[in-house]
Amino acid sequence: MGVEEDLPLGTKLVECFMPFLLHLAESGLSKRTIQNHVDNMWLLGGEIIRDVNEEPHRRKVIAEQLVREVIHEDGGPLIHNGWEDEQRSFDSTCRKFHRFLSQSQR
């Protein structure tokens, strides 16, 4: 579980993720597929918070920048204690989120 000081960053990450999650909900994907993406976004938030806890000076960086630093067109960060198939699924979600953020900037 997290600690109290993780809550503000966690809240900001959820705010950053919400437009993408709403986009997925409106996309016509199956409930199972959407839930898989939601689970992966939860994992992404956890990985970002883990990284911030390992480098506390990064707590001052805005959430959107933290997200953009770890996701890219090839996927996301390596997940801790994950299996290969979990990493593939996670990377798929991160690629999709990266495309969404790139298109939103235009």
Side-chain angles (χ1 to χ4, degrees), residues 1 5 18 42 44-45 52 61 76 88-89 96 100 102-103:
M1 222 60 200
E5 68 181 338
M18 193 55 70
W42 181 263
L44 176 61
V52 166
V61 177
R88 270 194 304 273
S89 174
K96 187 178 279 289
F100 176 82
S102 297
Q103 292 171 351

Side-chain angles (χ1 to χ4, degrees), residues 73-93:
E73 59 199 21
D74 295 328
L78 288 176
I79 53 178
H80 292 78
N81 301 321
W83 297 94
E84 190 173 330
D85 58 334
E86 292 171 313
Q87 184 70 49
R88 270 194 304 273
S89 174
F90 178 68
D91 285 338
S92 174
T93 299

Side-chain angles (χ1 to χ4, degrees), residues 22-33:
L22 292 172
H23 167 74
L24 290 176
E26 297 169 354
S27 68
L29 295 171
S30 73
K31 286 183 179 183
R32 173 100 169 110
T33 299

Side-chain angles (χ1 to χ4, degrees), residues 8-48:
L9 175 56
T11 300
K12 293 293 185 188
L13 288 171
V14 170
E15 290 172 10
C16 186
F17 296 168
M18 193 55 70
F20 175 64
L21 296 173
L22 292 172
H23 167 74
L24 290 176
E26 297 169 354
S27 68
L29 295 171
S30 73
K31 286 183 179 183
R32 173 100 169 110
T33 299
I34 292 170
Q35 185 60 55
N36 189 42
H37 287 304
V38 169
D39 292 344
N40 286 330
M41 294 302 289
W42 181 263
L43 182 56
L44 176 61
E47 291 299 323
I48 292 170

